[in-house]
């Protein structure tokens, strides 16, 4: 059984519900984290928030490496997650 590396850790900045992993509907499907409220109930309840798995993974990895070397998050990093 597959599990999501970030399961339970990512929340929608608008409705506060989880972002869950999904596949995009494209010729070359990608894994993305998308707002569960939007996916279940539509735009009447939340707007579409999503982030590519690969982008999120790289950001977290870069920040973990920076943190281990004493660097801190920048304001641009914080804006990415809001």
């Amino acid at each position: 059984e597959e599990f999501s590396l970030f399961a339970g850790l990512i929340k929608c900045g608008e409705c506060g519900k989880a972002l869950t992993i999904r596949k995009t509907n494209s010729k070359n499907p990608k894994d993305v984290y998308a707002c569960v409220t939007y996916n279940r109930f539509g735009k009447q309840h939340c707007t579409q928030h999503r982030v590519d798995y690969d982008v999120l993974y790289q950001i977290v990895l870069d920040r973990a490496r920076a943190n281990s070397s004493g660097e801190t998050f920048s304001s641009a990093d914080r804006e990415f997650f809001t």
Side-chain angles (χ1 to χ4, degrees):
E1 179 176 315
E2 266 189 69
F3 67 94
S4 167
L5 180 63
F6 301 109
L9 300 175
I10 307 170
K11 306 290 182 194
C12 175
E14 187 172 334
C15 71
K17 298 293 185 182
L19 295 185
T20 58
I21 198 154
R22 305 174 55 86
K23 293 267 188 212
T24 58
N25 294 325
S26 65
K27 189 174 184 177
N28 299 312
K30 298 187 306 184
D31 288 334
V32 296
Y33 284 94
C35 176
V36 70
T37 302
Y38 177 84
N39 288 327
R40 286 186 185 162
F41 305 110
K43 63 184 177 183
Q44 308 87 293
H45 299 276
C46 196
T47 55
Q48 185 178 17
H49 303 286
R50 68 185 205 178
V51 60
D52 288 351
Y53 173 86
D54 293 335
V55 170
L56 179 62
Y57 184 89
Q58 192 60 53
I59 288 171
V60 171
L61 182 60
D62 290 346
R63 297 309 170 251
R65 287 178 177 154
N67 191 42
S68 70
S69 67
E71 294 179 39
T72 60
F73 287 96
S74 71
S75 59
D77 294 332
R78 285 187 208 101
E79 289 177 15
F80 179 81
F81 292 104
T82 58

